[in-house]
Amino acid sequence: MTDVPSTLVQTQAQTPTPPLWLLAELTYTCPLHCVFCSNPVDFAQHDRELATDEWLRVLREARALGAVQLGFSGGEPLTRADLEVLVAEAHRLGYYSNLITSGVGLTAERIDRLKGAGLDHIQLSFQDSTRELNDFLSHTRTFDLKRRTADLIRAAGFPMVLNCVIHRLNIDHVERIIELAVEIGAEYLELANAQYYGWALTNRDHLIPTRDQVRRAEAVVAQARQRFGERLRILLVVPDYFETRPKRCMNGWGSVFLTIAPDGTALPCQSARVLPGLDFPNVRETTVADIWYRSTAFNRYRGTAWMKEPCASCPEKQQDLGGCRCQAYLLAGDPDAADPVCDKSPDHGLVTAAVNAPGPDVRPLVFRSPAESRRLRAESAGPDLT
Amino acid sequence: MRELHDDSAVPAIAAHYRLQFEPAQNAHVLLFPEGMIKLNGSGAEILTRCDGRATQGEIIETLRQRFAADVGADVRAFLGMATEKGWVRWLGPP
Ligand code: SF4
Ligand code: SF4
């Protein structure tokens, strides 16, 4: 066996771990138009949604493989009239289910029905602590509605996760966002920096915070953790653009997370659709087990055998697995390259440049909508890095 | 120092947490919003007995008989940790 590279032996000997976490993106339809939306910019092309019985089959097959955490997301999952049916089946199967919602469409009656169907928790997104910025960023008047929805969620006894995507325009409001979370009685607050894929990449120059902003936000969060302790758990995810080593993306390609897009495309992460040369399987054509264990796409970046330099010979390769494939492609133009967040990457300069000189706002903010999706698609067939 | 609870207090799985056995992982897991903890064998032995009825003392006694060993200190320390992490809440005197 000495002439076989050890990485290859490892990759072949290891059976992939089961998909423990299923993200069901029920629809790309959404009443909001967030500038940082992680949906693909060309979402308007993928509008043939799975039917109820197709989703039911996906839930059963993934559960049989071991999936146990389940997120219903979108778009806005509440726009699907069959949401309650899917939640009820998820409950029967033993999933721990989460509704990831903007709150639009969540009436008291609907909350009761979802509770009755066995939904476990709700993650409500806000765009900011102020009405002005919330409504501006989402291009809708939704702030007051979200406040009322939060009260309804509490009244129904759901644990509530408040989610606020953080970026240059709202990061200085972190303290008020935390107060808002306390006021509405959330158990968890997720302050996640915009990930620069999809619409957030289009708008990156407007969204990337400065180093000082990030430091201040970290200090505010540290103080709030002291102050609120168990009452409010705060998760702060800073953009990895400020790091010199990438993060393990999704805990490793095809290792824990399975995303099913509205049209049935199976993805190792929400943004993987941008990667060229990968033919992602569709649940309309094959089983979830085939997709997870046997498809070329899901095996493509498992383990470390696919790596090239500087990753291939790097002593840290097991820790970060070379970082994010989408970021490698979107920034370095090569999905097999090291994630440019890594300072060993020859393209690391692109990341530092974006951080040090967050561009003059050359282009106006683009709000997510089907019309803009079609326009951007027509303008460029590849990723837009200007 | 970690706070230890009185043996007469009754531990229960915290609201919004769910404990279940997962065949695919061949382990008990604790599920909660945005997270999942895979328990080892002894963690599962203890938490599956936190049913909101048995006192900590009774749980220790059950496990002492089952394993023929003095498990008191381990159980108290584990439940102290689990409380800190928010997995367990207490009924009755802490
Ligand atoms: S980020 Fe905004 S626009 Fe995108 S799906 Fe969520 S609520 Fe809708
Ligand atoms: S060179 Fe590759 S494997 Fe090494 S730290 Fe950088 S990204 Fe990770």
Side-chain angles (χ1 to χ4, degrees), chain A residues 244-246 307-312 314-318 320-323 325 338-339 342-345:
Chain A
T244 51
R245 286 290 179 273
M307 288 178 173
K308 44 164 98 161
E309 293 302 336
C311 299
C314 177
E316 294 168 58
K317 66 182 176 187
Q318 292 295 349
D320 59 49
L321 299 172
R325 295 305 86 221
D339 185 333
C342 181
D343 65 8
K344 296 185 187 183
S345 155

Side-chain angles (χ1 to χ4, degrees), chain A residues 47-66:
Chain A
D47 55 358
R48 225 165 58 83
E49 289 183 7
L50 292 182
T52 311
D53 53 342
E54 290 172 309
W55 274 118
L56 292 173
R57 179 172 64 79
V58 168
L59 294 182
R60 286 192 279 265
E61 290 181 1
R63 181 74 186 118
L65 296 185

Side-chain angles (χ1 to χ4, degrees), chain A residues 30-34 36-39 74-76 102 125 127 368:
Chain A
C30 184
L32 275 60
H33 309 284
C34 301
F36 48 75
C37 181
S38 61
N39 285 166
E76 176 48 68
S102 67
S125 64
Q127 280 65 31
R368 171 208 196 270

Side-chain angles (χ1 to χ4, degrees), chain A residues 114-371:
Chain A
L114 290 165
K115 185 88 189 167
L119 183 68
D120 289 297
H121 77 113
I122 295 181
Q123 178 181 316
L124 178 67
S125 64
F126 270 74
Q127 280 65 31
D128 188 45
S129 54
T130 65
R131 178 182 302 107
E132 292 69 30
L133 198 51
N134 177 85
D135 292 0
F136 171 71
L137 292 166
S138 63
H139 215 306
T140 52
R141 293 184 188 282
T142 47
F143 185 76
D144 294 329
L145 178 143
K146 283 165 185 280
R147 294 281 316 240
R148 285 195 300 275
T149 308
D151 293 340
L152 293 174
I153 293 172
R154 283 238 54 83
F158 281 111
M160 184 164 40
V161 178
L162 198 68
N163 172 285
C164 190
V165 173
I166 296 296
H167 43 76
R168 193 191 321 158
L169 305 173
N170 69 0
I171 191 168
D172 294 328
H173 303 171
V174 157
E175 190 157 8
R176 270 149 73 200
I177 296 171
I178 294 171
E179 280 163 17
L180 176 73
V182 172
E183 243 172 76
I184 66 177
E187 273 93 359
Y188 300 80
L189 173 62
E190 253 179 38
L191 299 166
N193 255 276
Q195 304 272 314
Y196 305 112
Y197 317 112
W199 298 83
L201 181 64
T202 307
N203 291 314
R204 188 183 68 187
D205 286 346
H206 295 265
L207 297 178
I208 193 160
T210 66
R211 236 174 247 280
D212 279 349
Q213 282 185 310
V214 170
R215 276 200 204 106
R216 278 200 300 275
E218 283 173 333
V220 168
V221 167
Q223 272 175 15
R225 284 196 181 121
Q226 294 255 314
R227 187 156 147 229
F228 298 111
E230 302 294 290
R231 194 142 66 91
L232 178 70
R233 287 165 194 265
I234 309 173
L235 187 82
L236 173 69
V237 185
V238 304
D240 58 1
Y241 275 43
F242 294 97
E243 317 280 343
T244 51
R245 286 290 179 273
K247 285 189 238 194
R248 252 187 191 216
C249 191
M250 310 303 287
N251 200 45
W253 181 272
S255 82
V256 178
F257 291 94
L258 171 62
T259 295
I260 307 294
D263 65 353
T265 305
L267 301 165
C269 87
Q270 278 162 284
S271 57
R273 219 196 261 267
V274 300
L275 295 174
L278 282 172
D279 194 8
F280 287 105
N282 192 300
V283 295
R284 284 194 163 112
E285 280 136 34
T286 179
T287 63
V288 176
D290 257 331
I291 287 169
W292 185 259
Y293 289 108
R294 289 174 284 277
S295 71
T296 314
F298 275 77
N299 282 313
R300 179 69 182 83
Y301 295 111
R302 279 198 172 116
T304 54
W306 56 271
M307 288 178 173
K308 44 164 98 161
E309 293 302 336
C311 299
S313 63
C314 177
E316 294 168 58
K317 66 182 176 187
Q318 292 295 349
Q319 277 138 55
D320 59 49
L321 299 172
C324 171
R325 295 305 86 221
C326 301
Q327 203 145 268
Y329 170 61
L330 292 170
L331 298 182
D334 176 3
D336 299 357
D339 185 333
V341 162
C342 181
D343 65 8
K344 296 185 187 183
S345 155
D347 298 298
H348 185 61
L350 293 171
V351 171
T352 42
V355 169
N356 292 333
D361 301 340
V362 261
R363 300 190 312 179
L365 272 171
V366 183
F367 292 92
R368 171 208 196 270
S369 72

